[in-house]
Amino acid sequence: MTTHGGFEPVFCTVVPPHILDRLARNDDPALSGPAHRTLVRDSELRGRRRVTTEFALAPAPAAKAPSDQPLRTIYDAGHGTALPGTEVRREGGEPGRDATVNRAYAGLGATFDLFLKAYGRHSIDGDGLPLDATVHYDEDYNNAFWNGEQMVFGDGDGEIFLDFTLPIDVIGHELTHGVTQYTANLTYYGQPGALNESMSDVFGSLIKQYSLGQTAAEADWLIGAGLLAERVTGVALRSMKEPGSAYDDDVLGKDPQPATMDDYVRTGRDNGGVHINSGIPNHAFYLAATQLGGHAWERAGQIWYDVLTGGELRPQALFADFAGLTVKAARARYGDGGDEHEAVRKAWEQVGVRTL
Amino acid sequence: MRISVRRTGGFAGIERYGEVDTAGRPDDGEWRALARQAVAAGRGAPPAGVPDGFAYRITVDDETVYCADPHLTGEQRELISRVLKEGA
Ligand SMILES: [Zn+2]
């Protein structure tokens, strides 16, 4: 399964077809129109997935150009765990009363925007993939994840974590896991896993910066600011500016992220410390971006994006492999010995990763 | 019956651990049945899981199995949630 990055392929329809069938026959065109389109889209998608699976070696069929508009659908799991849940808002629909749904919808849009406007990428797969997200997953669920096909957000328990749709960088982080899956497909373990995590933090933060119009100097470089409940001592879950400083709490413990290779953590837990050692490439990006100044998504972000999508980054890449490719990409795009080349080279040197 | 659950991973990457000894408890039978079903559906090695998904290690007496979100059975979900709540 090349297109699913090693995850179990799931050929599920997003809304039970019998419900869509009923909606499609509804007298109200506002209901029947979208339902009909979804039925058509779903059967196209299912067809495409089967084709990808069964005829993986066949050349890709010539497709029409993907749209410059996202195709978002938000579902509500109703505190259960069945995915995707009940559809509550689709592309173009009016905001409803549920702020969580509205935030997820806006966050998906902001993510789509950054990838399209900054890098010319059409959605997660570069080919207009519909963006699906489920909110209100499970009860008191302290997590958000990308399941290989869609995003899933918990409400938090209110004690330690609040609603996972609150920080826009968390939404961007999850969607970027999708982009990585469709591009470099970095193995989610050890150093390639930490690079995978770092990609999601980097672009998650850039999505926030882009939506706020911030420069590298203005950005907070935090991941998950606003996610921690009031009683927790901390500002966020991770800091790219100062890894290891995001929280220090009697229940959560202390932020374990290292900023440099000197403090690299060897562990088998957390898939070999993917959320821990990501602090090192995160900090390298921060250093390069702030050294260059201006909008971080423009030059530093472009270089990282070039490497993520350029085809040379192997699924098993280590920090040094990735670092070397960013230096090469900076040189290729902006010239040998230019500011970008120097900033990137120096950033890796500062975090202790050798670039050849 | 001693039941322990270790949860790792997740967006925050913060580990949690809980342990319950059901011996002598009035609901011992209920725990045993739940634990048996949860273990029967577990794996001998950690499954691949999904990015940011929680990964779980469940140990019942001297038997250890693994499972990961979002592919948990109802019994695994129930057991994990009870052990992490009561035995934290
Ligand atoms: Zn992640």
Side-chain angles (χ1 to χ4, degrees), chain A residues 168-237:
Chain A
I168 196 170
D169 47 277
V170 172
I171 298 176
H173 176 108
E174 293 312 323
L175 275 165
T176 303
H177 277 309
V179 175
T180 299
Q181 176 189 326
Y182 277 97
T183 54
N185 197 19
L186 291 155
T187 305
Y188 204 66
Y189 193 89
Q191 284 197 19
L195 287 170
N196 188 322
E197 267 306 307
S198 180
M199 287 298 182
S200 279
D201 280 350
V202 164
F203 289 101
S205 181
L206 290 180
I207 285 152
K208 178 175 173 179
Q209 294 173 33
Y210 182 80
S211 69
L212 296 172
Q214 291 176 328
T215 63
E218 290 162 349
D220 62 14
W221 295 99
L222 295 170
I223 301 299
L227 184 59
L228 297 174
E230 211 172 315
R231 58 167 292 273
V232 177
T233 313
V235 290
L237 281 175

Side-chain angles (χ1 to χ4, degrees), chain B residues 4-23:
Chain B
S4 72
V5 170
R6 189 186 77 185
R7 190 191 77 194
T8 62
F11 183 85
I14 293 168
E15 188 168 316
R16 284 201 59 196
Y17 180 82
E19 192 175 316
V20 170
D21 192 343
T22 67

Side-chain angles (χ1 to χ4, degrees), chain A:
Chain A
M1 276 308 298
T2 51
T3 56
H4 287 269
F7 302 115
E8 290 177 38
V10 182
F11 301 114
C12 59
T13 112
V14 279
V15 174
H18 65 275
I19 292 179
L20 284 173
D21 279 326
R22 209 166 58 222
L23 282 172
R25 288 195 306 270
N26 197 289
D27 289 339
D28 180 359
L31 290 174
S32 60
H36 179 73
R37 282 196 295 279
T38 301
L39 278 171
V40 172
R41 191 187 88 207
D42 279 359
S43 65
E44 282 171 0
L45 269 179
R46 281 196 302 276
R48 196 161 75 201
R49 284 175 191 163
R50 279 204 201 96
V51 167
T52 318
T53 310
E54 290 165 19
F55 307 111
L57 297 175
K64 59 180 192 297
S67 168
D68 284 352
Q69 296 302 317
L71 191 51
R72 293 166 283 185
T73 311
I74 312 296
Y75 301 87
D76 187 337
H79 304 289
T81 55
L83 292 175
T86 308
E87 184 184 309
V88 284
R89 189 170 172 194
R90 66 168 57 229
E91 191 60 45
E94 292 297 312
R97 281 192 199 156
D98 188 339
T100 303
V101 172
N102 298 336
R103 276 193 300 268
Y105 185 87
L108 265 56
T111 304
F112 184 91
D113 265 8
L114 174 81
F115 281 110
L116 180 65
K117 290 176 186 154
Y119 312 120
R121 181 178 191 83
H122 288 87
S123 191
I124 286 199
D125 62 345
D127 194 26
L129 186 79
L131 301 176
D132 296 338
T134 295
V135 298
H136 302 312
Y137 181 79
D138 209 347
E139 284 176 31
D140 298 329
Y141 193 70
N142 279 335
N143 203 18
F145 60 88
W146 166 257
N147 81 343
E149 301 211 325
Q150 67 158 98
M151 283 145 292
V152 180
F153 297 97
D155 290 336
D157 59 4
E159 295 275 314
I160 298 172
F161 291 109
L162 305 176
D163 188 325
F164 275 73
T165 61
L166 282 166
I168 196 170
D169 47 277
V170 172
I171 298 176
H173 176 108
E174 293 312 323
L175 275 165
T176 303
H177 277 309
V179 175
T180 299
Q181 176 189 326
Y182 277 97
T183 54
N185 197 19
L186 291 155
T187 305
Y188 204 66
Y189 193 89
Q191 284 197 19
L195 287 170
N196 188 322
E197 267 306 307
S198 180
M199 287 298 182
S200 279
D201 280 350
V202 164
F203 289 101
S205 181
L206 290 180
I207 285 152
K208 178 175 173 179
Q209 294 173 33
Y210 182 80
S211 69
L212 296 172
Q214 291 176 328
T215 63
E218 290 162 349
D220 62 14
W221 295 99
L222 295 170
I223 301 299
L227 184 59
L228 297 174
E230 211 172 315
R231 58 167 292 273
V232 177
T233 313
V235 290
L237 281 175
R238 293 184 278 277
S239 168
M240 301 175 69
K241 180 178 185 172
E242 205 182 331
S245 72
Y247 59 88
D248 189 353
D249 181 75
D250 50 3
V251 174
L252 281 189
K254 189 185 174 307
D255 175 0
Q257 283 213 312
T260 73
M261 287 305 284
D262 285 345
D263 297 316
Y264 185 89
V265 177
R266 286 174 197 285
T267 174
R269 294 172 179 184
D270 182 29
N271 289 295
V274 295
H275 293 91
I276 299 174
N277 292 314
S278 54
I280 296 167
N282 275 1
H283 193 53
F285 181 82
Y286 161 82
L287 290 170
T290 47
Q291 171 67 33
L292 288 170
H295 293 138
W297 61 84
E298 286 173 2
R299 292 183 287 164
Q302 182 69 62
I303 292 162
W304 256 240
Y305 182 79
D306 284 348
V307 175
L308 178 64
T309 58
E312 284 189 78
L313 186 63
R314 296 173 304 118
Q316 305 283 349
L318 303 177
F319 288 179
D321 301 322
F322 179 72
L325 288 172
T326 59
V327 173
K328 188 175 160 192
R331 205 191 297 128
R333 190 176 271 277
Y334 300 106
D336 198 8
D339 290 349
E340 297 81 4
H341 180 203
E342 281 306 306
V344 171
R345 202 187 50 73
K346 247 177 62 190
W348 288 111
E349 192 178 294
Q350 283 174 266
V351 302
V353 175
R354 276 166 56 92
T355 54
L356 297 172

